[in-house]
Amino acid sequence: MNDLRKVNSLQLYYLWRNLAIALLCIAMTVIATHMLPHYMAPVVSLFFCSVLYTMMWNDEHSPQPGCMIMPQIAFFSLLVYSFLNIVLVIMHVMHVVAVPDELMFFNQPFMPALTLLPITFLSIIFTMAFRLSTPVCSRCHARSGGLRDRGYFGFITSRESRLQLKNVAVLFALLSVVVWWYYLDIYVNVNQNGRDWYMFVWLIVLLIVIDEVYFIMRYYNLYLDFLEHNEIITPDEIRDMTACTYLRYYLICGEYVYVDKNAYDRVAQRENVLDTPFTTKKTMNGIHQIDVRKIIESMAGVTGGELKFFFGRHVTGNNKVSVLRYFYFLDGEVEDYNSIEAPGYWIHFRQIQLLYKHTPNIIGTNGLNDLSRLFTIMMTERDFDENGVRKNQIRSYRRSITLADVRKTQIDLQDDKWIHIAHFNSDIKFYKFKKLMRNMFGRKRRSF
C-alpha cells in the first residue's frame, strides 16, 4: 500500500507557489504604491485582492487543491488595509482626528508599509489562533476531510502550513517594528531621501524575496528526501499508472467489531495499531458490488451478512488511487463466529469510542479517519436539521450512537452535507449574520 504514502510532487510545488504569490502580492502593493500616483493606493491593493480571490476561487474548484491559508491572509490583509486607508482619509477630512500625511493616500509621500505590515502581522496571529475555523480551512476540511483523511500528505500540509505561519509572523513582526522605529525615531518628513525609501519599500521587498528563496530551498530538499525514500510521485507517473482501488471492510456483529490489534499503519508507518484486518487492493478503477461481497466473504470465511457502503475517496493528489470503505453486518452473536480466518478479536463498539476519545494514537490512521467521519455525520444529523438549526436546544446534551443505528440509518455517509453543517451551524457565534453574508455573496454549500 505504498500508494497511500506517496506525495504528488505537484502538491509539494503548490505549497511554495501559494505562499510565494501571497507574499508577492503584498510586496507588489508596496512597490506599485511607491511608483504610481499616491491616490491610486486603494486601487492597487484592491486589484491584488481580486487576484488573490480569483486564485482562491480557482483552487476551490480545482481537482487538486492546495493549501490556501497564506493567500487568505494576504487577501484579508489587503482588504482591511484598503478600507482602513479610506477611513483614515475620511476621518481627517471630517476633522475627527489629525492623521499624519504618511498614513493618507491622497498626500505625498504616502507610506503604505506603516499600516500594511502591522495589519498583515495581526491577520497572521488571528489565523494562527483560529486556523481551523477560518473560511479556507473549514471549506478544505469539509471538502477533503480531516488531517488523517488526506493521508500522508495531510500531515505534510499541516506541518508546513504551521511552519509558514510562524515564519511569516516573525517576518512581519520584525518589519513592522523596524519601519515604525525608523518612522518615529529617524525619519524626517520635510526631506525624504533614498534611505527613507529603502527602509519603507526595498527592505520589505528584499526580506520577502529572501523568505521565498528559503522556502524554495526547503521544498526542494523535501522533494529530494521523498525521492530518496521512494515517497514521491510525479504527475506524469500518475497519468501513466494503472488505476487501483483499496477496499476496507468493517466486520460487525451486533455491537461488536472485529479488529486486529497488531495491524500496520501504512500511512503513518506505525506498527501494532488497532485496525480492521480486512483490507485489500485491486488493480482496477471501481469494482462491482457483487465482487465486493465475494471478497469480504472470502477474507472472513463467513457468508450471509448484509453489505453496506460506507464512503470512498481518492487519495489526495492522485486520482488514480481510491479507497472504498464498507460495513459487513452479521446476524446472531459473536460466539457464532469464532472461526474468522483473519487474525483479530471482537471488541465492543463502546470500547472503541472510548479509545477514540482518550487514546486515539493506538488506532490506525485510516481507522481514526473513518471513525471521525462516522461520528461527525451521525451526531450532526441527530442534533441539527438540514438548515443547520439545532433540533434540541440543550447544547450540552449529546446522544451516543450504536452500531444498530449505523446499520439502519438512511443517511448517505458519502455525502459531505453533514460535514459542512458540522462546521457551520446555529451553534457558532454570529450564525445568522454569517449566513446572511453567505446568501448575499451567493456562497452555497455544495458537495465535493
Side-chain angles (χ1 to χ4, degrees):
M1 293 191 179
N2 291 333
D3 295 329
L4 300 180
R5 189 174 173 85
K6 287 193 173 183
V7 174
N8 187 341
S9 59
L10 191 61
Q11 291 287 327
L12 202 57
Y13 160 72
Y14 285 161
L15 277 175
W16 173 81
R17 184 205 65 178
N18 295 341
L19 168 70
I21 293 177
L23 294 181
L24 182 64
C25 285
I26 293 176
M28 289 302 299
T29 299
V30 176
I31 295 174
T33 303
H34 172 56
M35 294 183 171
L36 295 175
H38 50 275
Y39 53 81
M40 292 290 292
V43 177
V44 170
S45 56
L46 289 175
F47 168 76
F48 285 113
C49 275
S50 66
V51 171
L52 291 165
Y53 184 85
T54 302
M55 180 183 175
M56 291 188 291
W57 189 91
N58 289 336
D59 182 84
E60 186 177 344
H61 296 80
S62 170
Q64 293 189 3
C67 180
M68 300 301 293
I69 195 164
M70 282 306 304
Q72 175 186 253
I73 289 173
F75 170 78
F76 283 117
S77 298
L78 290 172
L79 191 64
V80 172
Y81 157 81
S82 303
F83 285 100
L84 177 62
N85 284 334
I86 296 173
V87 169
L88 288 175
V89 169
I90 294 174
M91 292 175 65
H92 183 80
V93 170
M94 297 180 66
H95 303 289
V96 176
V97 64
V99 181
D101 292 344
E102 291 79 10
L103 300 182
M104 293 186 295
F105 64 85
F106 70 84
N107 283 330
Q108 185 72 20
F110 170 59
M111 307 294 188
L114 293 173
T115 51
L116 180 56
L117 296 179
I119 288 172
T120 305
F121 171 69
L122 293 176
S123 297
I124 296 167
I125 296 301
F126 177 84
T127 303
M128 293 175 69
F130 304 99
R131 185 162 59 117
L132 295 180
S133 61
T134 57
V136 296
C137 289
S138 59
R139 289 197 296 269
C140 180
H141 191 280
R143 172 179 180 169
S144 302
L147 175 65
R148 307 180 188 96
D149 195 16
R150 283 169 276 185
Y152 181 50
F153 190 70
F155 292 97
I156 302 298
T157 302
S158 178
R159 183 189 70 191
E160 293 303 316
S161 66
R162 287 196 297 268
L163 176 64
Q164 289 181 2
L165 288 174
K166 292 177 182 178
N167 181 277
V168 294
V170 173
L171 173 65
F172 281 94
L174 175 63
L175 287 173
S176 299
V177 170
V178 169
V179 297
W180 271 98
W181 163 77
Y182 185 86
Y183 174 71
L184 295 174
D185 195 52
I186 298 178
Y187 172 74
V188 179
N189 63 359
V190 296
N191 183 26
Q192 290 80 28
N193 54 48
R195 184 182 63 182
D196 296 335
W197 294 116
Y198 176 82
M199 295 298 298
F200 288 116
V201 177
W202 304 116
L203 177 65
I204 299 166
V205 175
L206 177 63
L207 291 183
I208 286 177
V209 170
I210 291 175
D211 199 57
E212 294 188 359
V213 171
Y214 162 75
F215 277 102
I216 289 177
M217 297 172 61
R218 174 177 177 81
Y219 292 135
Y220 180 68
N221 288 330
L222 200 59
Y223 168 83
L224 294 179
D225 183 62
F226 288 148
L227 192 63
E228 181 180 353
H229 293 85
N230 194 28
E231 293 176 345
I232 202 77
I233 186 168
T234 66
D236 290 337
E237 291 174 330
I238 293 175
R239 184 173 58 251
D240 296 336
M241 74 179 292
T242 303
C244 63
T245 301
Y246 290 92
L247 302 174
R248 287 176 54 84
Y249 299 92
Y250 291 96
L251 190 64
I252 299 172
C253 182
E255 290 300 312
Y256 289 84
V257 183
Y258 196 80
V259 299
D260 178 12
K261 64 180 179 181
N262 297 312
Y264 179 68
D265 186 346
R266 296 184 180 274
V267 176
Q269 290 190 336
R270 293 187 295 134
E271 297 180 345
N272 300 321
V273 297
L274 194 72
D275 201 0
T276 175
F278 306 109
T279 304
T280 187
K281 174 184 176 181
K282 295 296 178 182
T283 308
M284 60 181 68
N285 188 12
I287 185 170
H288 293 293
Q289 195 81 348
I290 188 170
D291 295 322
V292 173
R293 174 181 290 274
K294 289 179 180 179
I295 291 171
I296 181 57
E297 291 178 347
S298 174
M299 294 179 70
V302 295
T303 58
E306 178 187 350
L307 182 71
K308 185 172 183 177
F309 178 66
F310 182 9
F311 82 105
R313 285 192 188 276
H314 290 296
V315 172
T316 302
N318 188 351
N319 57 10
K320 290 292 186 71
V321 180
S322 57
V323 184
L324 305 180
R325 287 87 163 175
Y326 292 88
F327 298 118
Y328 192 73
F329 295 96
L330 298 172
D331 295 320
E333 304 294 332
V334 294
E335 291 78 10
D336 302 331
Y337 304 98
N338 291 325
S339 59
I340 301 296
E341 296 183 1
Y345 66 103
W346 293 101
I347 182 174
H348 200 280
F349 188 53
R350 189 180 303 112
Q351 186 176 351
I352 293 179
Q353 290 176 305
L354 291 174
L355 293 174
Y356 174 81
K357 182 177 181 180
H358 299 291
T359 55
N361 59 301
I362 70 171
I363 304 177
T365 301
N366 282 317
L368 283 173
N369 162 55
D370 297 344
L371 287 170
S372 176
R373 184 179 184 87
L374 181 66
F375 293 151
T376 300
I377 291 179
M378 296 202 65
M379 298 301 290
T380 303
E381 191 273 339
R382 285 188 170 189
D383 291 337
F384 301 93
D385 61 22
E386 293 191 357
N387 294 317
V389 178
R390 175 172 283 278
K391 299 176 183 177
N392 190 320
Q393 298 305 315
I394 305 176
R395 297 190 180 186
S396 60
Y397 178 64
R398 293 289 186 274
R399 290 174 286 186
S400 61
I401 64 173
T402 65
L403 291 176
D405 298 327
V406 177
R407 184 171 185 175
K408 68 183 181 181
T409 185
Q410 299 300 313
I411 304 173
D412 182 3
L413 298 174
Q414 172 70 22
D415 190 357
D416 291 330
K417 174 179 64 177
W418 296 107
I419 303 291
H420 285 266
I421 295 175
H423 289 87
F424 186 75
N425 54 63
S426 58
D427 279 2
I428 68 173
K429 295 181 179 180
F430 310 112
Y431 168 70
K432 292 184 178 179
F433 174 75
K434 291 180 179 179
K435 186 176 181 180
L436 177 63
M437 291 297 101
R438 289 191 175 199
N439 292 336
M440 287 177 60
F441 289 100
R443 178 171 293 283
K444 298 180 181 179
R445 185 184 68 242
R446 63 185 184 88
S447 175
F448 295 104

